[in-house]
Amino acid sequence: MYALVADCVSKKFGSRTVLSSASLRACPGEVRAILGRNGEGKSTLLKIAVGVLQPDSGVVRMGAKAFLKAALPELASRGVFYLPDHDVLAPAMDLWTQLRLFERRFGVRAARDAARVANVEQLLDRRRASLSGGELRRAELAHAITRKPTVLIADEPYRGIAPVDHDALTSIFRMLAAEGCAVVVTGHEVPSLLAAAHHVTWSTGGTTYELGPPARAVQHDAFHRNYLGPSFPG
């Protein structure tokens, strides 16, 4: 059974149809990557799945419960952790203070252990402005680790960080999946996303296609031709 599903979702902004019939499926023990060009509705689909946006049609399900109007606070109380594509750390507090506050309010896992797993122990006395892009993203993921979510939805986590930091994020996503978390990530850093993913979903033309494991996905003719491009190996 999927941990979280947004099924047959449609969404318009004004006269522009962003999604016509798209689905997100988060599976326990897997990292799932949603790939697609800019403007194909990946972020919109994630926001609908976590209850930040409401769809024009479609339904969100978590386990056996269906939500016609999903809301992030309720989904979060059921184990969903949403990492958006913008900064989420408070600028005025150091990382350790924020992690401890988060642990006291929401934590399942110790903040110190989460900092170790995310490799931010040496950054605990630092504030947001002094962190590099990769450090900031690992610090944000330390909060997710503290929460020990059943579902992690991360919108473009690799964006704007140095390639050397990609492997660190991939290790965290894989570790969470190995512990049973259902991880869904989006982005345009194709090699890193394919290396992280157990399963690939292609978002295009307002809908989604489940392509399966990365090795199979890169062999998909339309996906390879229209998204990866002819120079991509495979």
Side-chain angles (χ1 to χ4, degrees), residues 4 7 9 22 26 34 36 46 60 65 68 115 121 141-143 147-148 156 170 177 180 196 203 206 210 214 223 231:
L4 179 70
D7 201 23
V9 167
I34 301 179
L46 265 59
V60 174
K65 183 172 176 59
L68 294 179
E121 287 179 296
L141 283 169
H143 286 74
R147 183 69 178 86
K148 202 170 183 181
E156 301 208 20
T170 294
S203 177
E210 303 298 339
F223 178 66
S231 63

Side-chain angles (χ1 to χ4, degrees), residues 220-231:
H220 188 281
D221 182 65
F223 178 66
H224 199 289
R225 183 176 65 252
N226 297 324
Y227 179 71
L228 297 177
S231 63

Side-chain angles (χ1 to χ4, degrees), residues 94-128:
D94 62 51
L95 175 56
W96 179 239
T97 299
Q98 294 186 65
L99 271 175
R100 287 299 306 275
L101 287 171
F102 196 82
E103 177 192 26
R104 284 199 281 272
R105 184 167 182 183
F106 305 110
V108 176
R109 193 168 189 162
R112 181 70 68 177
D113 185 46
R116 178 189 57 78
V117 172
N119 192 24
V120 294
E121 287 179 296
Q122 72 280 15
L123 307 174
L124 293 175
D125 62 343
R126 305 258 295 273
R127 296 186 182 188
R128 189 179 76 187

Side-chain angles (χ1 to χ4, degrees), residues 59-232:
V59 63
V60 174
R61 296 193 303 273
M62 191 167 188
K65 183 172 176 59
F67 301 85
L68 294 179
K69 289 190 176 181
L72 181 56
E74 182 172 1
L75 292 176
S77 72
R78 294 170 176 267
V80 174
F81 193 101
Y82 173 53
L83 189 62
D85 62 346
H86 57 77
D87 292 343
V88 298
L89 296 186
M93 290 187 287
D94 62 51
L95 175 56
W96 179 239
T97 299
Q98 294 186 65
L99 271 175
R100 287 299 306 275
L101 287 171
F102 196 82
E103 177 192 26
R104 284 199 281 272
R105 184 167 182 183
F106 305 110
V108 176
R109 193 168 189 162
R112 181 70 68 177
D113 185 46
R116 178 189 57 78
V117 172
N119 192 24
V120 294
E121 287 179 296
Q122 72 280 15
L123 307 174
L124 293 175
D125 62 343
R126 305 258 295 273
R127 296 186 182 188
R128 189 179 76 187
S130 68
L131 299 176
S132 70
E135 290 170 343
L136 180 60
R137 191 54 41 151
R138 284 188 281 115
E140 292 167 348
L141 283 169
H143 286 74
I145 294 166
T146 302
R147 183 69 178 86
K148 202 170 183 181
T150 57
V151 179
L152 172 66
I153 305 292
D155 193 5
E156 301 208 20
Y158 295 93
R159 187 174 71 175
I161 69 173
V164 70
D165 291 311
H166 287 201
D167 288 346
L169 296 196
T170 294
S171 294
I172 294 171
F173 294 139
R174 284 277 183 154
M175 179 274 296
L176 288 169
E179 293 180 348
C181 184
V183 180
V184 178
V185 297
T186 67
H188 299 282
E189 298 77 10
V190 175
S192 293
L193 287 162
L194 292 179
H198 299 93
H199 181 99
V200 175
T201 301
W202 182 25
S203 177
T204 183
T207 190
T208 47
Y209 299 90
E210 303 298 339
L211 303 186
R216 187 190 308 164
V218 299
Q219 298 298 325
H220 188 281
D221 182 65
F223 178 66
H224 199 289
R225 183 176 65 252
N226 297 324
Y227 179 71
L228 297 177
S231 63
F232 193 89

